């Protein structure tokens, strides 16, 4: 799986024609669509988690990779999406997943617009600390207001009660979890594809180019007439909303939302994913999220000291391969093609 | 009135511990421009090592001959151990990164945090460690009609001594001059014949020593538990953001503010106590990005 995506990434970053990435993307999508019938349900669940985190990392990287802002508080938007869904399901008794998505996105939009307005006034280390501090406000509220959020017990969101596609697919009755896993995978895959296309369009639009100009030289960007702060704010809101969507999709699969996803080490994990895949490339965060998810799952399953393992991976990565999986693969591929042709 | 004095003492106790952690964080940032996300975990490691050493001594048959003074002398072992750890970390993990953007500093220290967290779990297990016998030995003194643990006053004194000592060290010694020169202009300092690499190792080790000392003094009053460092880091962040990253006066002022607000918060508004602290930090960052005492 990851190999295929890495290959795609190598082609997207070196290919000159705009058609090649589209063809490769469709090929990968077809492979992904066939997977659940080939592998066992557990792998499908893992891949679903990976795709959900890929949406989050994709959003995160609009800030880090394209705008040059390292947010250490993206747990806030993931959590905002997740908790909004939990409230909608618990307090409004809603069942439609689409309603949850719309509600969750609105909730995230509100939070990220507010936080972003505050945060984009600063850059560099102050931006990171500010995003961190604000995300911890949400965490402490979720942690302390246990009569609203359930505290550390969290809020349960039973997948069996949800319906997809406006009620066309529901999971009541026997074998509900298996049916949910199967259907939800395609649901997430569709949204993942949509999110990827939207992000692709965003970063290749004049707006996206303006963000990259801001990243590379703020003063010059300002000089050519880009209102830097507003562009950063819009990028922040888009970025937060993508991560919020991931939070929305994550809740039914996990079945539970707890303050852990608002705590700052979770933001660190999102950063980790982007760096693992390579934050200087478009596909890097996607690959990074999927790989990280497998890495973490198997590390947790195989050793009590999984954190140590992941920490070593991160440190080695930063010291030896700062361009991540995709960046390194692209470099190798470029060298290889130069060598043969 | 008595209650008020006790609350005030509690906030000073809390401020003293926070100052020790935050001053180390601030010093490291001031000299090397590194925001060390693993700093809180180093504090936790200091707490574990001290609790382990003191607990081991108490459990040992020779504890009778050690007495209170002996136990108190054992307490800083944690701080020294963390300084040694720091002296190993700086040249191996941080030195290759000084020329890279600061994102990488955050990432590598985040990785270090993960590694250290599990190292503690591996070395000391999941059960909390404590050095409570020191606190019991020191007894308590009457304040009004209530009794207050003497140990807390001892910690406040250590915080004061550390602040004064650090001030003296930075502003009145030759090494302090070298430290400040290096933090002002690394290349000029190197050109003047200062061994910058060595200064960096020393500064990082001192910063780690402060974190370890914070952990050491806290452990007789409360047990060392897994995860305590992650929480402490964020509070230390709040302190240095309020006071100003890289400023000693800022660390004192920030620690006092956080100590007072936290103690009042636990008493009067427990639900939003933490949120208020983060909001104060946010407000300060917005109005004065460099903090109350920071220089740009």
């Amino acid at each position: 799986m990851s190999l295929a995506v890495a290959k795609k990434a190598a082609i997207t970053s070196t290919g000159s024609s705009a058609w090649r990435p589209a063809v490769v993307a469709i090929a990968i999508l077809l492979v992904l669509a066939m997977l659940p019938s080939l592998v066992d349900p557990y792998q499908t669940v893992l891949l679903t988690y990976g795709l959900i985190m890929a949406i989050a990392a994709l959003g995160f990287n609009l800030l880090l990779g394209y705008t040059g802002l390292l947010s250490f508080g993206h747990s806030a938007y993931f959590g905002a999406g997740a908790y909004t869904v939990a409230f909608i399901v618990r307090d409004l008794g809603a069942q439609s997943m689409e309603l949850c998505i719309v509600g969750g996105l609105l909730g995230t939009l509100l939070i990220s617009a507010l936080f972003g307005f505050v945060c984009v006034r600063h850059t560099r280390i102050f931006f990171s600390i500010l995003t961190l501090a604000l995300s911890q406000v949400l965490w402490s509220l979720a942690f302390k207001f246990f009569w609203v959020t359930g505290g550390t017990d969290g809020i349960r969101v039973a997948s069996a009660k949800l319906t997809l596609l406006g009620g066309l697919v529901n999971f009541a009755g026997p074998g509900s979890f298996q049916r949910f896993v199967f259907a939800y995978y395609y649901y997430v895959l569709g949204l993942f594809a949509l999110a990827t296309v939207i992000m692709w369009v965003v970063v290749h639009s004049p707006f996206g180019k303006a963000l990259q100009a801001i990243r590379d030289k703020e003063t010059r960007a300002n000089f050519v007439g880009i209102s830097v702060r507003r562009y950063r704010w819009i990028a922040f809101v888009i970025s937060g909303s993508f991560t919020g969507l991931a939070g929305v999709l994550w809740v039914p699969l996990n079945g539970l939302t707890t303050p852990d996803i608002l705590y700052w080490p979770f933001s660190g994990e999102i950063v980790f994913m982007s760096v693992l895949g390579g934050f200087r490339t478009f596909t890097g965060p996607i690959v990074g999220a999927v790989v990280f998810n497998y890495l973490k799952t198997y590390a947790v399953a195989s050793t009590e000291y999984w954190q140590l393992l992941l920490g070593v991976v991160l440190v080695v990565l930063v010291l030896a391969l700062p361009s991540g999986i995709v960046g390194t693969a692209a470099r190798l591929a470029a060298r290889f093609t130069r060598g043969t042709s | 009135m008595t209650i008020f004095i006790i609350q005030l003492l509690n906030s000073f106790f809390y401020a003293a511990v926070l100052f020790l952690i935050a001053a180390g964080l601030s010093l490291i940032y001031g000299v090397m421009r590194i925001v060390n996300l693993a700093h809180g975990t180093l504090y936790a490691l200091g707490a574990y090592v001290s609790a382990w050493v003191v607990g081991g001594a108490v459990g040992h048959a020779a504890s009778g001959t050690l007495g209170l003074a002996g136990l108190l002398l054992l307490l800083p072992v944690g701080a020294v151990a963390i300084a040694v750890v720091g002296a190993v970390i700086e040249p191996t993990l941080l030195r290759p990164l000084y020329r890279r953007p600061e994102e990488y500093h955050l990432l590598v220290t985040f990785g270090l945090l993960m590694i250290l967290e599990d190292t503690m779990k591996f070395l000391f297990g999941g059960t909390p460690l404590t050095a409570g016998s020191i606190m019991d030995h020191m007894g308590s003194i009457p304040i009004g009609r209530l009794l207050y643990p003497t140990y807390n006053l001892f910690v406040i004194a250590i915080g004061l001594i550390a602040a004064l000592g650090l001030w003296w060290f930075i502003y009145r010694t030759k090494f302090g001059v070298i430290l400040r020169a290096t933090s002002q202009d690394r290349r000029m300092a190197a050109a003047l014949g200062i061994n910058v690499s060595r200064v960096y190792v020393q500064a990082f080790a001192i910063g780690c020593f402060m974190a370890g000392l914070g952990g050491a003094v806290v452990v007789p009053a409360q047990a060392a538990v897994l995860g305590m460092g992650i929480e402490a880091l964020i509070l230390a962040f709040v302190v240095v953001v309020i006071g100003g990253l890289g400023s000693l006066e800022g660390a004192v002022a920030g620690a006092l503010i956080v100590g007072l607000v936290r103690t009042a918060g636990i008493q009067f508004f427990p639900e939003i106590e933490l949120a208020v602290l983060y909001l104060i930090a946010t407000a300060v960052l917005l109005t004065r990005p460099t903090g109350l005492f920071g220089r740009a």
Side-chain angles (χ1 to χ4, degrees):
Chain A
M1 210 322 281
S2 62
L3 196 78
V5 181
K7 203 171 159 200
K8 172 203 163 187
I11 293 164
T12 36
S13 52
T14 52
S16 48
S17 155
W19 283 106
R20 277 171 70 184
V23 171
V24 177
I26 289 168
I28 290 173
L29 212 57
L30 285 175
V31 172
L32 286 178
M34 284 188 302
L35 267 181
S37 45
L38 301 175
V39 297
D40 61 304
Y42 176 64
Q43 296 296 330
T44 310
V45 172
L46 276 188
L47 193 55
T48 317
Y49 273 119
L51 291 176
I52 289 171
M53 289 319 296
I55 300 175
L58 208 55
F60 166 81
N61 202 40
L62 183 66
L63 282 183
L64 178 61
Y66 290 92
T67 322
L69 295 170
L70 173 58
S71 159
F72 234 88
H74 256 51
S75 64
Y77 317 110
F78 194 89
Y83 270 96
T84 316
V85 170
F87 291 145
I88 289 174
V89 172
R90 186 190 64 181
D91 299 328
L92 302 180
Q95 298 184 332
S96 160
M97 193 61 205
E98 286 72 33
L99 191 73
C100 289
I101 290 175
V102 172
L105 278 178
L106 282 178
T108 319
L109 207 67
L110 204 71
I111 298 278
S112 57
L114 183 71
F115 284 10
F117 184 75
V118 173
C119 291
V120 294
R121 281 148 195 273
H122 296 294
T123 54
R124 296 153 60 86
I125 200 72
F126 294 108
F127 177 83
S128 301
I129 296 181
L130 205 55
T131 46
L132 181 65
L134 284 171
S135 77
Q136 288 315 286
V137 173
L138 286 193
W139 168 75
S140 65
L141 294 181
F143 188 69
K144 295 260 181 155
F145 282 84
F146 57 86
W147 59 90
V148 183
T149 61
T152 45
D153 290 345
I155 305 172
R156 262 185 65 74
V157 178
S159 59
K161 283 185 185 163
L162 289 170
T163 61
L164 304 181
L165 305 173
L168 272 175
V169 187
N170 69 74
F171 307 106
S176 86
F177 187 69
Q178 275 72 17
R179 285 189 286 132
F180 174 76
V181 164
F182 195 71
Y184 202 64
Y185 172 76
Y186 287 103
Y187 196 73
V188 168
L189 185 63
L191 283 168
F192 163 75
L194 187 67
T196 310
V197 169
I198 292 174
M199 189 53 90
W200 175 268
V201 170
V202 167
V203 301
H204 290 86
S205 70
F207 171 74
K209 297 292 175 201
L211 293 184
Q212 288 160 54
I214 293 171
R215 175 193 70 193
D216 293 336
K217 199 79 192 167
E218 187 181 340
T219 337
R220 269 190 208 166
N222 204 4
F223 192 67
V224 297
I226 297 168
S227 48
V228 171
R229 199 181 280 179
R230 175 140 46 94
Y231 274 56
R232 278 197 180 124
W233 186 33
I234 298 170
F236 196 100
V237 174
I238 297 174
S239 170
S241 304
F242 270 70
T243 308
L245 174 66
V248 169
L249 293 173
W250 178 83
V251 176
L253 193 62
N254 194 57
L256 177 76
T257 172
T258 58
D260 283 353
I261 53 163
L262 284 165
Y263 204 31
W264 71 270
F266 187 70
S267 302
E269 285 190 6
I270 300 177
V271 182
F272 192 157
M273 293 169 198
S274 306
V275 176
L276 180 64
F279 64 91
R280 288 289 183 193
T281 54
F282 180 80
T283 44
I286 301 174
V287 177
V290 175
V291 173
F292 177 85
N293 193 58
Y294 281 106
L295 198 65
K296 186 175 174 181
T297 307
Y298 285 104
V300 170
S302 56
T303 164
E304 190 188 344
Y305 305 107
W306 56 272
Q307 240 192 139
L308 180 89
L309 201 70
L310 292 182
V312 170
V313 170
L314 183 57
V315 167
V316 169
L317 208 66
V318 172
L319 291 178
L321 295 174
S323 55
I325 297 172
V326 174
T328 309
R331 214 173 51 226
L332 290 177
R335 185 182 298 171
F336 182 69
T337 44
R338 247 205 322 273
T340 50
S341 60
Chain B
M1 189 58 196
T2 309
I3 299 285
F4 178 73
I5 292 173
I6 284 183
Q7 291 294 348
L8 209 58
L9 286 175
N10 277 342
S11 29
F12 287 153
F13 168 78
Y14 199 64
V17 177
L18 269 180
F19 167 76
L20 290 174
I21 311 170
L25 188 71
S26 201
L27 180 79
I28 290 171
Y29 179 80
V31 177
M32 292 173 271
R33 302 282 162 220
I34 286 221
V35 174
N36 182 13
L37 285 180
H39 198 72
T41 311
L42 289 166
Y43 149 82
L45 194 60
Y48 264 109
V49 173
S50 289
W52 181 70
V53 170
V54 173
V58 169
H60 210 263
S63 72
T65 54
L66 266 173
L68 178 63
L71 290 180
L72 281 178
L73 281 176
L74 280 179
L75 208 52
V77 169
V80 175
I82 304 311
V84 173
V85 171
V88 175
I89 290 171
E90 198 278 339
T92 49
L93 294 183
L94 301 179
R95 193 169 290 170
L97 294 177
Y98 290 122
R99 291 195 187 144
R100 294 228 221 127
E102 52 203 356
E103 284 95 72
Y104 291 104
H105 305 166
L106 287 180
L107 286 169
V108 113
T109 51
F110 183 69
L112 186 62
L113 175 156
M114 296 172 97
I115 294 172
L116 288 175
E117 283 286 327
D118 267 3
T119 310
M120 279 191 288
K121 202 202 287 181
F122 176 73
L123 290 177
F124 303 105
T127 43
L129 290 185
T130 166
S133 54
I134 289 183
M135 198 156 173
D136 301 340
H137 273 318
M138 288 185 96
S140 44
I141 55 165
I143 291 180
R145 286 168 288 108
L146 295 167
L147 287 172
Y148 194 74
T150 316
Y151 182 76
N152 286 16
L153 301 177
F154 176 73
V155 171
I156 296 171
I158 288 185
L160 267 176
I161 294 167
L164 289 173
L166 210 58
W167 176 82
W168 175 79
F169 189 63
I170 292 175
Y171 293 104
R172 288 288 180 272
T173 62
K174 184 158 176 264
F175 183 71
V177 175
I178 293 174
L179 208 62
R180 281 181 289 145
T182 314
S183 75
Q184 293 283 327
D185 191 335
R186 185 190 165 166
R187 290 178 59 193
M188 182 55 92
L192 290 173
I194 294 171
N195 186 345
V196 172
S197 302
R198 204 170 71 198
V199 173
Y200 273 22
V201 177
Q202 288 162 340
F204 194 77
I206 294 170
C208 291
F209 177 84
M210 300 290 286
L213 190 61
V217 299
V218 91
V219 87
Q222 62 199 52
V225 291
L226 292 172
M228 71 188 276
I230 293 179
E231 195 194 326
L233 174 72
I234 296 296
L235 287 172
F237 256 8
V238 171
V239 168
V240 294
V241 161
I242 291 175
L245 262 171
S247 149
L248 183 65
E249 306 92 304
V252 176
L256 283 172
I257 292 173
V258 172
L260 287 168
V261 171
R262 186 124 203 235
T263 315
I266 290 169
Q267 184 86 345
F268 301 113
F269 41 93
E271 285 86 11
I272 51 167
E273 157 227 334
L274 282 169
V276 165
L277 282 178
Y278 300 130
L279 287 175
I280 292 178
T282 308
V284 170
L285 256 184
L286 279 178
T287 48
R288 288 184 61 104
T290 50
L292 296 178
F293 291 89
R295 288 167 294 271

